[in-house]
mmCIF file of all heavy atoms in Angstrom:
data_model
loop_
_atom_site.group_PDB
_atom_site.id
_atom_site.type_symbol
_atom_site.label_atom_id
_atom_site.label_comp_id
_atom_site.label_asym_id
_atom_site.label_seq_id
_atom_site.Cartn_x
_atom_site.Cartn_y
_atom_site.Cartn_z
ATOM 1 N N GLY O 423 -10.688 13.327 -32.189
ATOM 2 C CA GLY O 423 -10.489 14.433 -33.106
ATOM 3 C C GLY O 423 -10.567 13.995 -34.551
ATOM 4 O O GLY O 423 -11.118 14.702 -35.418
ATOM 5 N N LEU O 424 -10.019 12.826 -34.852
ATOM 6 C CA LEU O 424 -10.095 12.266 -36.203
ATOM 7 C C LEU O 424 -11.547 12.079 -36.625
ATOM 8 O O LEU O 424 -11.943 12.443 -37.744
ATOM 9 C CB LEU O 424 -9.347 10.931 -36.222
ATOM 10 C CG LEU O 424 -9.178 10.149 -37.517
ATOM 11 C CD1 LEU O 424 -8.036 9.157 -37.366
ATOM 12 C CD2 LEU O 424 -10.435 9.385 -37.919
ATOM 13 N N TRP O 425 -12.350 11.527 -35.730
ATOM 14 C CA TRP O 425 -13.755 11.270 -36.059
ATOM 15 C C TRP O 425 -14.544 12.551 -36.220
ATOM 16 O O TRP O 425 -15.269 12.737 -37.197
ATOM 17 C CB TRP O 425 -14.387 10.403 -34.968
ATOM 18 C CG TRP O 425 -13.884 9.006 -34.917
ATOM 19 C CD1 TRP O 425 -13.446 8.241 -35.965
ATOM 20 C CD2 TRP O 425 -13.763 8.178 -33.753
ATOM 21 N NE1 TRP O 425 -13.053 7.001 -35.530
ATOM 22 C CE2 TRP O 425 -13.239 6.926 -34.177
ATOM 23 C CE3 TRP O 425 -14.039 8.356 -32.405
ATOM 24 C CZ2 TRP O 425 -13.007 5.876 -33.294
ATOM 25 C CZ3 TRP O 425 -13.802 7.316 -31.527
ATOM 26 C CH2 TRP O 425 -13.290 6.095 -31.960
ATOM 27 N N ILE O 426 -14.422 13.462 -35.249
ATOM 28 C CA ILE O 426 -15.269 14.659 -35.275
ATOM 29 C C ILE O 426 -14.897 15.563 -36.436
ATOM 30 O O ILE O 426 -15.734 16.324 -36.942
ATOM 31 C CB ILE O 426 -15.184 15.407 -33.928
ATOM 32 C CG1 ILE O 426 -16.440 16.279 -33.732
ATOM 33 C CG2 ILE O 426 -13.930 16.237 -33.832
ATOM 34 C CD1 ILE O 426 -17.722 15.513 -33.623
ATOM 35 N N LEU O 427 -13.653 15.500 -36.897
ATOM 36 C CA LEU O 427 -13.229 16.312 -38.037
ATOM 37 C C LEU O 427 -14.016 15.965 -39.302
ATOM 38 O O LEU O 427 -14.159 16.800 -40.198
ATOM 39 C CB LEU O 427 -11.724 16.141 -38.262
ATOM 40 C CG LEU O 427 -11.057 17.007 -39.335
ATOM 41 C CD1 LEU O 427 -11.337 18.490 -39.103
ATOM 42 C CD2 LEU O 427 -9.557 16.746 -39.354
ATOM 43 N N GLN O 428 -14.547 14.750 -39.353
ATOM 44 C CA GLN O 428 -15.279 14.329 -40.548
ATOM 45 C C GLN O 428 -16.668 14.967 -40.640
ATOM 46 O O GLN O 428 -17.355 14.813 -41.647
ATOM 47 C CB GLN O 428 -15.390 12.795 -40.587
ATOM 48 C CG GLN O 428 -14.067 12.061 -40.473
ATOM 49 C CD GLN O 428 -12.946 12.701 -41.302
ATOM 50 O OE1 GLN O 428 -13.121 12.962 -42.496
ATOM 51 N NE2 GLN O 428 -11.797 12.959 -40.667
ATOM 52 N N THR O 429 -17.089 15.701 -39.622
ATOM 53 C CA THR O 429 -18.355 16.441 -39.692
ATOM 54 C C THR O 429 -18.144 17.884 -40.157
ATOM 55 O O THR O 429 -19.110 18.623 -40.339
ATOM 56 C CB THR O 429 -19.066 16.464 -38.321
ATOM 57 O OG1 THR O 429 -18.283 17.216 -37.380
ATOM 58 C CG2 THR O 429 -19.260 15.046 -37.790
ATOM 59 N N PHE O 430 -16.899 18.283 -40.346
ATOM 60 C CA PHE O 430 -16.566 19.670 -40.675
ATOM 61 C C PHE O 430 -17.207 20.117 -41.987
ATOM 62 O O PHE O 430 -17.761 21.217 -42.083
ATOM 63 C CB PHE O 430 -15.043 19.828 -40.741
ATOM 64 C CG PHE O 430 -14.560 21.246 -40.877
ATOM 65 C CD1 PHE O 430 -14.169 21.961 -39.758
ATOM 66 C CD2 PHE O 430 -14.464 21.866 -42.117
ATOM 67 C CE1 PHE O 430 -13.709 23.268 -39.859
ATOM 68 C CE2 PHE O 430 -14.005 23.169 -42.237
ATOM 69 C CZ PHE O 430 -13.629 23.874 -41.106
ATOM 70 N N VAL O 431 -17.127 19.275 -43.016
ATOM 71 C CA VAL O 431 -17.631 19.665 -44.335
ATOM 72 C C VAL O 431 -19.126 19.937 -44.273
ATOM 73 O O VAL O 431 -19.618 20.949 -44.796
ATOM 74 C CB VAL O 431 -17.322 18.587 -45.392
ATOM 75 C CG1 VAL O 431 -17.827 19.030 -46.767
ATOM 76 C CG2 VAL O 431 -15.828 18.296 -45.451
ATOM 77 N N ALA O 432 -19.879 19.045 -43.627
ATOM 78 C CA ALA O 432 -21.329 19.196 -43.564
ATOM 79 C C ALA O 432 -21.730 20.419 -42.738
ATOM 80 O O ALA O 432 -22.624 21.176 -43.143
ATOM 81 C CB ALA O 432 -21.964 17.937 -42.977
ATOM 82 N N ILE O 433 -21.072 20.630 -41.602
ATOM 83 C CA ILE O 433 -21.480 21.725 -40.712
ATOM 84 C C ILE O 433 -20.979 23.073 -41.219
ATOM 85 O O ILE O 433 -21.762 23.994 -41.473
ATOM 86 C CB ILE O 433 -20.985 21.468 -39.284
ATOM 87 C CG1 ILE O 433 -21.644 20.209 -38.700
ATOM 88 C CG2 ILE O 433 -21.272 22.678 -38.392
ATOM 89 C CD1 ILE O 433 -21.070 19.773 -37.366
ATOM 90 N N VAL O 434 -19.673 23.215 -41.381
ATOM 91 C CA VAL O 434 -19.114 24.507 -41.789
ATOM 92 C C VAL O 434 -19.485 24.835 -43.227
ATOM 93 O O VAL O 434 -19.833 25.980 -43.547
ATOM 94 C CB VAL O 434 -17.587 24.519 -41.590
ATOM 95 C CG1 VAL O 434 -16.995 25.844 -42.055
ATOM 96 C CG2 VAL O 434 -17.241 24.282 -40.125
ATOM 97 N N GLY O 435 -19.444 23.820 -44.099
ATOM 98 C CA GLY O 435 -19.869 24.056 -45.476
ATOM 99 C C GLY O 435 -21.304 24.547 -45.540
ATOM 100 O O GLY O 435 -21.633 25.480 -46.285
ATOM 101 N N GLY O 436 -22.171 23.953 -44.719
ATOM 102 C CA GLY O 436 -23.574 24.334 -44.708
ATOM 103 C C GLY O 436 -23.828 25.729 -44.185
ATOM 104 O O GLY O 436 -24.859 26.338 -44.496
ATOM 105 N N LEU O 437 -22.906 26.263 -43.390
ATOM 106 C CA LEU O 437 -23.078 27.615 -42.869
ATOM 107 C C LEU O 437 -22.842 28.692 -43.925
ATOM 108 O O LEU O 437 -23.227 29.846 -43.733
ATOM 109 C CB LEU O 437 -22.128 27.847 -41.685
ATOM 110 C CG LEU O 437 -22.468 27.086 -40.405
ATOM 111 C CD1 LEU O 437 -21.336 27.190 -39.394
ATOM 112 C CD2 LEU O 437 -23.773 27.604 -39.792
ATOM 113 N N PHE O 438 -22.207 28.306 -45.033
ATOM 114 C CA PHE O 438 -21.886 29.283 -46.077
ATOM 115 C C PHE O 438 -22.518 28.972 -47.436
ATOM 116 O O PHE O 438 -22.662 29.876 -48.254
ATOM 117 C CB PHE O 438 -20.361 29.387 -46.241
ATOM 118 C CG PHE O 438 -19.670 29.960 -45.050
ATOM 119 C CD1 PHE O 438 -19.130 29.139 -44.077
ATOM 120 C CD2 PHE O 438 -19.571 31.331 -44.879
ATOM 121 C CE1 PHE O 438 -18.492 29.668 -42.963
ATOM 122 C CE2 PHE O 438 -18.938 31.876 -43.769
ATOM 123 C CZ PHE O 438 -18.395 31.045 -42.809
ATOM 124 N N THR O 439 -22.856 27.717 -47.679
ATOM 125 C CA THR O 439 -23.390 27.361 -48.992
ATOM 126 C C THR O 439 -24.341 26.182 -48.881
ATOM 127 O O THR O 439 -24.209 25.342 -47.983
ATOM 128 C CB THR O 439 -22.258 27.002 -49.969
ATOM 129 O OG1 THR O 439 -22.818 26.644 -51.231
ATOM 130 C CG2 THR O 439 -21.408 25.843 -49.455
ATOM 131 N N ARG O 440 -25.286 26.134 -49.826
ATOM 132 C CA ARG O 440 -26.207 24.995 -49.926
ATOM 133 C C ARG O 440 -25.842 24.127 -51.131
ATOM 134 O O ARG O 440 -26.621 23.270 -51.545
ATOM 135 C CB ARG O 440 -27.640 25.548 -50.052
ATOM 136 C CG ARG O 440 -28.765 24.527 -49.985
ATOM 137 C CD ARG O 440 -28.757 23.704 -48.686
ATOM 138 N NE ARG O 440 -29.969 22.954 -48.515
ATOM 139 C CZ ARG O 440 -30.287 21.845 -49.199
ATOM 140 N NH1 ARG O 440 -29.468 21.385 -50.110
ATOM 141 N NH2 ARG O 440 -31.425 21.232 -48.971
ATOM 142 N N TRP O 441 -24.646 24.350 -51.696
ATOM 143 C CA TRP O 441 -24.269 23.665 -52.920
ATOM 144 C C TRP O 441 -24.109 22.162 -52.719
ATOM 145 O O TRP O 441 -24.508 21.362 -53.570
ATOM 146 C CB TRP O 441 -22.959 24.257 -53.467
ATOM 147 C CG TRP O 441 -22.493 23.579 -54.722
ATOM 148 C CD1 TRP O 441 -22.980 23.751 -55.978
ATOM 149 C CD2 TRP O 441 -21.435 22.603 -54.824
ATOM 150 N NE1 TRP O 441 -22.307 22.944 -56.877
ATOM 151 C CE2 TRP O 441 -21.350 22.232 -56.185
ATOM 152 C CE3 TRP O 441 -20.567 22.015 -53.909
ATOM 153 C CZ2 TRP O 441 -20.420 21.307 -56.651
ATOM 154 C CZ3 TRP O 441 -19.649 21.094 -54.368
ATOM 155 C CH2 TRP O 441 -19.581 20.739 -55.711
ATOM 156 N N PHE O 442 -23.514 21.731 -51.613
ATOM 157 C CA PHE O 442 -23.278 20.298 -51.410
ATOM 158 C C PHE O 442 -24.597 19.534 -51.361
ATOM 159 O O PHE O 442 -25.567 19.979 -50.751
ATOM 160 C CB PHE O 442 -22.522 20.058 -50.092
ATOM 161 C CG PHE O 442 -21.080 20.447 -50.127
ATOM 162 C CD1 PHE O 442 -20.640 21.611 -49.511
ATOM 163 C CD2 PHE O 442 -20.143 19.645 -50.771
ATOM 164 C CE1 PHE O 442 -19.308 21.973 -49.525
ATOM 165 C CE2 PHE O 442 -18.799 19.996 -50.799
ATOM 166 C CZ PHE O 442 -18.387 21.173 -50.181
ATOM 167 N N HIS O 443 -24.603 18.358 -52.000
ATOM 168 C CA HIS O 443 -25.763 17.474 -51.927
ATOM 169 C C HIS O 443 -25.640 16.616 -50.668
ATOM 170 O O HIS O 443 -24.551 16.153 -50.322
ATOM 171 C CB HIS O 443 -25.833 16.585 -53.168
ATOM 172 C CG HIS O 443 -27.144 15.881 -53.320
ATOM 173 N ND1 HIS O 443 -27.477 14.760 -52.610
ATOM 174 C CD2 HIS O 443 -28.226 16.154 -54.119
ATOM 175 C CE1 HIS O 443 -28.688 14.351 -52.946
ATOM 176 N NE2 HIS O 443 -29.162 15.181 -53.867
#
Side-chain angles (χ1 to χ4, degrees):
L424 184 161
W425 291 328
I426 203 64
L427 185 54
Q428 306 318 309
T429 66
F430 188 96
V431 181
I433 296 172
V434 178
L437 290 170
F438 294 95
T439 179
R440 188 58 168 74
W441 179 77
F442 287 104
H443 193 281

